[in-house]
Amino acid sequence: MNQSLNEQTTMMRRSFPFDLLSDEQFQRIADRTVRSSFEVNEFLFREDEEEIEIHFLLSGLAKNILHREDGKDISVRFYYPGDLIGVMILLAGGSMNFSVKALETCDTIKIRREVLLELMGENETFSEVILSNIGDRMKSLYDEIKKERSAGDRENIGLFRTRVNAIMERPLTCRRELALDEAATLLASHHAAGLIVTNRRGEIVGVLTQQRVIRGLLHGAREEEVSRWMDDQPVTIQEDAFSYEVLTFFKDDYVDIVPVMRGEKPAGMLTAESFLQLQDSHYLHLSYTLQHAKTIRDAASVSPNHHRSFIEFTEALLEERTHPTEVAEFISSYNDQIHRRMIQLCLQQMKKEGYGSPPVEFCFIVMGSQGRKEQAFSSDQDNGLILDNYKHLDNWRGVEDYFHRFAGKVNQALVEAGFPECPGGIMARERRWCREIDEWKREVYRWAKESDAEEVRDFTIFIDYRPVYGDFTLAESLRDEITERIQKAGLLHAYLMKDTIRFRVPVNTFGRLTLKGKQKTIDLKKSALMQIVNGVRIFAIRYGIKEAGTSARLDQLEKLEVFHPRDVKNARLAMDVLLYHRLRRNIFQLKHDRPLSNELSPMELEKEDRRQLKEALIVAKRMQQMSELSFQRSRGI
């Protein structure tokens, strides 16, 4: 053992709880320790590693990351010098649901797991301290998590366009310190399926179901706190989510109650009985099949363009007068599920092929219409990867090779699922769309200073990005960093304005349609919808609005009094009309095995539909004019 390691083990010897060991016991640990060092963003260990050792942190800062089933990674605690890292594995029997990443250069002493377990069997005091520490961490895990928005044959359409807050029940809560027999009395008096368990701040820490109460009482635990018997990793849903996003949870037997969240606190709860009025749903079956797909082929088989039931269900939503913007959000949310499942399956493939787990944290982002949650059926791929900074690592080329291979698998899997490759190459497998976060910042700053006409089109697709899988904080911090910079980028604004007037809305000064070509058609996307989307985006960038969706941007522009409420209302109505015709056109093409396109012949519409379409086009033209005039005023013209 060299001198430096001797000094470090001496530091560990003086630290609690190692000072509880005898000299002989500690020497057994010291004889088997190994000095380890981890650079910034390197993992001390990943959740799926078979052999995970215990680390004593000598210096630096590390972060514990919880990997959720919805694809979003959440930081749940930090480790400081003197902390033991990996002790929860002792109770987990070798399986973990989290990873640990270095936030600073970390020096550790790695302790053999079997030696630690051996000493715990010999030294009762040492063992009690370790186990108590683990128990406290497990019980407080959800105190430390920042809650986020944690998804003939007619369907019951109403619930699929209804938000969760419209069908949730009043939340029945109890404190974590409540005795189990008191919780049983509370459940019985309210005839409830379960309780939401909260801490002193009113934040959720778990759920307690009837089954868990019965199990505790059978074990004679009447006076024990409910925190010892609750489920401390409950499925939750935000109150503004669509009801269909939570329904599939109840197809799994282990879910009896789903808390409905308003930010970080419970606003209501859902049980299986909340959905008694729901008929058997083909969509739920599709969603359930997707979540449990074992292969890429299985997942692709339930993609929107490949499954008639999904197409028919979407058509039914439109017939029941669901807002077309909500239908587009529904399609986009389902496509998010497909992306997440494909990413998970591709990660599994990487491991099977010997490439292991991702070497650094990453965030898979979707852009364009999917980023805005405004998809129809005729959308191709627009996606990318934001990687944690890795260029300072010795194996940085290996990091790039890993993600290039991984992204290629994901892009190909999405092709199989009916998402064509982007003609402009805006896909995660391309080097320019797979960057470390600092490089992304530099690229956006370059766009702000030096964009040309071609690059600005890439920027308009990129700036509508939204995270769907991985470490969402990478996407969020990038957005925070770039918003002010692009807000002040006058040259970029000029190119954005020039780009948005490339396609003129086919309406003349007198409000009449000006259709060209033999077919007398209009491209609903390029010549109509995108004029509203582009115009709203330009104003959103100018006023530092961070939201990606057009509807959310309109909300903010109205609050800032940039847009008059009347203009906001007209823009929403116009989008609904244009999306309605685009979706109906796509559905017709899919049902008749025709190529997908956004071309529509207005003359084939009924008189009332043609009138509404013309009014929507006039709104789109006005938005284009507002953007152009506003830009000219900002230049002092």
Side-chain angles (χ1 to χ4, degrees), residues 34 91 176 180-181 208 225 269 274 288 295 324 348 359 365 389 391 404 438 446 450 463 610 615:
V34 176
L91 285 188
R176 61 188 302 164
L180 197 62
D181 60 351
L208 185 72
E225 294 183 359
M269 64 183 190
S274 305
Y288 183 83
T295 67
Q348 291 174 17
I365 58 173
N389 289 323
K391 290 290 181 65
H404 177 75
D438 281 354
R446 189 187 66 79
E450 306 171 8
I463 202 60
R610 192 160 61 247
E615 290 178 354

Side-chain angles (χ1 to χ4, degrees), residues 81-133:
D83 280 344
L84 277 176
I85 302 175
V87 290
M88 287 181 69
I89 191 68
L90 295 172
L91 285 188
S95 62
M96 304 183 70
N97 63 348
F98 59 82
S99 304
V100 175
K101 181 181 78 170
L103 296 179
E104 301 173 354
T105 299
C106 290
D107 291 319
T108 74
I109 294 178
K110 189 158 60 176
I111 304 167
R112 297 294 297 176
R113 182 167 171 262
E114 62 268 20
V115 176
L116 194 64
L117 287 170
E118 179 183 300
L119 294 177
M120 287 176 64
E122 297 177 12
N123 190 318
E124 184 176 349
T125 305
F126 180 72
S127 177
E128 286 179 359
V129 170
I130 295 289
L131 292 176
S132 174
N133 182 269

Side-chain angles (χ1 to χ4, degrees), residues 200-379:
R200 293 182 180 181
R201 297 188 295 274
E203 299 166 340
I204 183 172
V205 294
V207 297
L208 185 72
T209 61
Q210 290 179 353
Q211 290 83 354
R212 286 178 175 268
V213 170
I214 293 170
R215 191 183 311 157
L217 295 177
L218 288 175
H219 281 78
R222 301 176 62 85
E223 297 181 1
E224 290 186 5
E225 294 183 359
V226 298
S227 59
R228 292 181 61 86
W229 293 93
M230 68 184 183
D231 174 6
D232 64 354
Q233 297 188 21
V235 172
T236 63
I237 195 79
Q238 288 290 324
E239 63 175 342
D240 60 346
F242 286 115
S243 59
Y244 66 80
E245 296 184 54
V246 72
L247 284 171
T248 52
F249 293 133
F250 290 97
K251 291 195 73 172
D252 289 315
D253 294 337
Y254 61 86
V255 176
D256 295 316
I257 176 175
V258 175
V260 179
M261 309 299 293
R262 181 177 296 140
E264 299 184 1
K265 297 183 178 180
M269 64 183 190
L270 295 171
T271 65
E273 287 73 21
S274 305
F275 301 96
L276 283 177
Q277 67 269 47
L278 183 69
Q279 301 170 359
D280 186 29
S281 168
H282 289 307
Y283 169 75
L284 288 183
H285 176 70
L286 289 177
S287 185
Y288 183 83
T289 301
L290 174 60
Q291 292 176 18
H292 293 79
K294 301 298 183 185
T295 67
I296 288 173
R297 178 177 293 180
D298 291 342
S301 69
V302 291
S303 65
N305 292 12
H306 291 175
H307 211 287
R308 187 164 293 273
S309 291
F310 189 96
I311 298 167
E312 291 174 350
F313 179 71
T314 307
E315 186 175 30
L317 285 172
L318 291 172
E319 290 177 358
E320 292 290 333
R321 298 185 182 278
T322 304
H323 286 295
T325 48
E326 290 188 348
V327 177
E329 184 180 345
F330 161 75
I331 294 173
S332 302
S333 295
Y334 187 74
N335 287 341
D336 287 353
Q337 292 185 50
I338 293 175
H339 279 61
R340 283 193 286 269
R341 192 63 191 137
M342 291 303 191
I343 291 168
Q344 291 166 346
L345 292 170
C346 290
L347 286 171
Q348 291 174 17
Q349 281 188 3
M350 293 292 286
K351 292 171 190 172
K352 288 179 181 178
E353 294 172 9
Y355 297 104
S357 300
V360 298
E361 276 287 273
F362 72 94
C363 184
F364 194 95
I365 58 173
V366 292
M367 299 174 273
S369 60
Q370 188 174 356
R372 298 190 304 274
K373 287 194 172 185
E374 296 166 10
Q375 281 191 304
F377 289 93
S378 56
S379 298

Side-chain angles (χ1 to χ4, degrees), residues 493-541:
H493 296 182
Y495 275 119
L496 288 172
M497 189 63 257
K498 184 176 180 180
D499 184 67
T500 198
I501 61 175
R502 283 190 304 136
F503 297 97
R504 289 293 183 179
V505 181
V507 176
N508 64 21
T509 307
F510 304 102
R512 295 177 181 175
L513 298 179
T514 55
L515 304 176
K516 297 179 180 180
K518 294 181 180 180
Q519 304 299 322
K520 299 293 183 182
T521 60
I522 178 176
D523 187 314
L524 290 169
K525 180 179 178 181
K526 291 181 179 180
S527 299
L529 265 171
M530 291 312 300
Q531 306 315 313
I532 299 175
V533 170
N534 290 343
V536 172
R537 183 194 296 114
I538 288 172
F539 280 97
I541 290 173

